Amino acid sequence: MGTDEDRCKSIGRNLQRLRKDAGFKSAKAFAEYIGISPARYTEYEQGRRCFNYDQAWVFADALGCTMDELAGRSFKESDADPRKEEVGAYFDMLTDKSK
């Protein structure tokens, strides 16, 4: 699983990628958008500092991503509940009015 330092660096890389994907060209622009100092935010992206749970929610909300995406966590399709697909098929059969 790695050390805390490894996890901070990995999450920092995810944070940087998600920020760029969301259209924020610079760390400074994003930091100002969420109301923290650019220096502190840069430490998060570079993995020199880990952020807490509350800060992670701020990042995820501002970037339009999930906490799982921010942390780099993904699920395999085989982990999904097979009943979900069945429910989705029934939903697709409904008319717009009945949805």
Side-chain angles (χ1 to χ4, degrees):
M1 193 138 175
T3 66
D4 285 342
E5 185 178 334
D6 292 338
R7 281 189 288 276
C8 287
K9 287 183 180 188
S10 177
I11 291 171
R13 286 189 297 271
N14 289 337
L15 180 59
Q16 183 180 57
R17 178 183 50 77
L18 290 163
R19 171 188 51 84
K20 289 177 179 179
D21 289 351
F24 292 94
K25 295 182 185 207
S26 72
K28 181 181 179 193
F30 184 66
E32 290 172 352
Y33 177 77
I34 60 172
I36 65 172
S37 79
R40 177 173 290 250
Y41 177 76
T42 299
E43 289 181 327
Y44 293 142
E45 269 198 9
Q46 294 179 353
R48 292 193 311 255
R49 176 185 288 238
C50 289
F51 46 86
N52 65 30
Y53 190 76
D54 291 333
Q55 192 66 53
W57 275 119
V58 171
F59 294 154
D61 287 347
L63 295 170
C65 68
T66 66
M67 296 282 278
D68 284 329
E69 290 170 309
L70 184 61
R73 182 177 177 191
S74 62
F75 295 96
K76 296 178 272 178
E77 277 299 314
S78 61
D79 293 341
D81 188 329
R83 297 171 296 176
K84 185 176 179 183
E85 187 173 316
E86 187 177 336
V87 170
Y90 287 118
F91 180 81
D92 290 341
M93 286 191 264
L94 296 172
T95 65
D96 285 339
K97 185 177 180 181
S98 63
K99 288 180 183 176

